[in-house]
Amino acid sequence: MKKLLLAVILLTTSMAVAVADTVSIKKFVVKENPFAQNEVAIVATDSLEQIQENVNGKFAFTINGFQYELNFQNGTGFYRQKLQKSTFMYVKHRNESGSYSVLYYIFKRGEKLSPWKISWMWLVVIPLAIVFIGYLFKRLIIIAAIVLIIFIYFNHSNGLSIPTFFESIFDGIKHSLIG
């Protein structure tokens, strides 16, 4: 009887160890790929932006509207598309607990890439400030309209389409209201 009880205990503990906790990516940052020029890496982080080295395997990401499956090793997945010029990069990851998305402006200077995280608030504040200044000073309304057109053209020519612009704002609002 003792042997049977011992066997049951060993079997249940071995099954508990064998059932691994699924690792999911809840937050991430985009960084320059240290191993390749003109490429970026997506790094899985926690809320304090410390790398999660336990993230390994294939994870689905949507980058600028295209679906990619990135292979993560020790918390880092490499986006293998070469960047020829400065561009916006809208990165979204969806898992069983929800989705997380971030808008980055990848500034290219020579062979160096500098990712800048763009807050959704700036996407709202800048156009509203331009319109407000134009409304406040009626003489500047033409200049404000020209600056607003330049702002829209800059965003569009660097890969930030109007739907992505609004999706980034709505995702930012949703995540700031939720938590």
Side-chain angles (χ1 to χ4, degrees):
M1 184 71 171
K2 289 181 183 180
K3 289 182 180 181
L4 181 63
L5 182 62
L6 182 63
V8 169
I9 291 173
L10 285 176
L11 185 62
T12 56
T13 57
S14 67
M15 286 177 58
V17 171
V19 175
D21 188 23
T22 59
V23 177
S24 64
I25 299 173
K26 294 187 176 125
K27 293 195 181 265
F28 56 86
V29 294
V30 175
K31 295 186 176 184
E32 181 179 19
N33 186 345
F35 303 113
Q37 288 185 344
N38 301 327
E39 291 182 7
V40 294
I42 297 175
V43 179
T45 62
D46 58 10
S47 60
L48 298 174
E49 293 196 358
Q50 300 294 320
I51 188 168
Q52 289 184 320
E53 293 187 1
N54 63 334
V55 175
N56 294 307
K58 293 187 184 237
F59 293 89
F61 278 82
T62 303
I63 302 172
N64 289 345
F66 295 102
Q67 188 78 22
Y68 293 96
E69 193 168 288
L70 300 180
N71 188 17
F72 276 76
Q73 293 179 345
N74 296 327
T76 304
F78 298 106
Y79 177 64
R80 298 290 181 193
Q81 305 294 323
K82 297 270 188 201
L83 300 176
Q84 302 301 324
K85 63 177 186 150
S86 297
T87 188
F88 283 99
M89 183 176 280
Y90 183 66
V91 183
K92 188 173 193 174
H93 174 64
R94 179 169 287 137
N95 57 24
E96 58 276 345
S97 64
S99 67
Y100 182 71
S101 59
V102 183
L103 179 66
Y104 279 90
Y105 182 71
I106 311 296
F107 182 70
K108 183 177 179 186
R109 180 181 292 167
E111 296 299 318
K112 183 157 176 54
L113 298 176
S114 300
W116 296 342
K117 184 177 178 181
I118 307 293
S119 173
W120 66 271
M121 287 188 271
W122 287 112
L123 297 177
V124 173
V125 168
I126 291 172
L128 287 179
I130 293 170
V131 170
F132 182 70
I133 290 170
Y135 179 74
L136 213 69
F137 304 104
K138 301 288 186 203
R139 293 181 184 178
L140 298 177
I141 199 156
I142 301 295
I143 295 171
I146 292 170
V147 170
L148 190 61
I149 290 170
I150 291 171
F151 176 75
I152 292 169
Y153 177 75
F154 172 78
N155 288 344
H156 182 69
S157 67
N158 285 313
L160 184 61
S161 64
I162 298 296
T164 303
F165 180 85
F166 286 114
E167 184 179 357
S168 179
I169 291 172
F170 292 138
D171 280 346
I173 292 170
K174 180 177 73 173
H175 286 294
S176 67
L177 292 177
I178 292 173

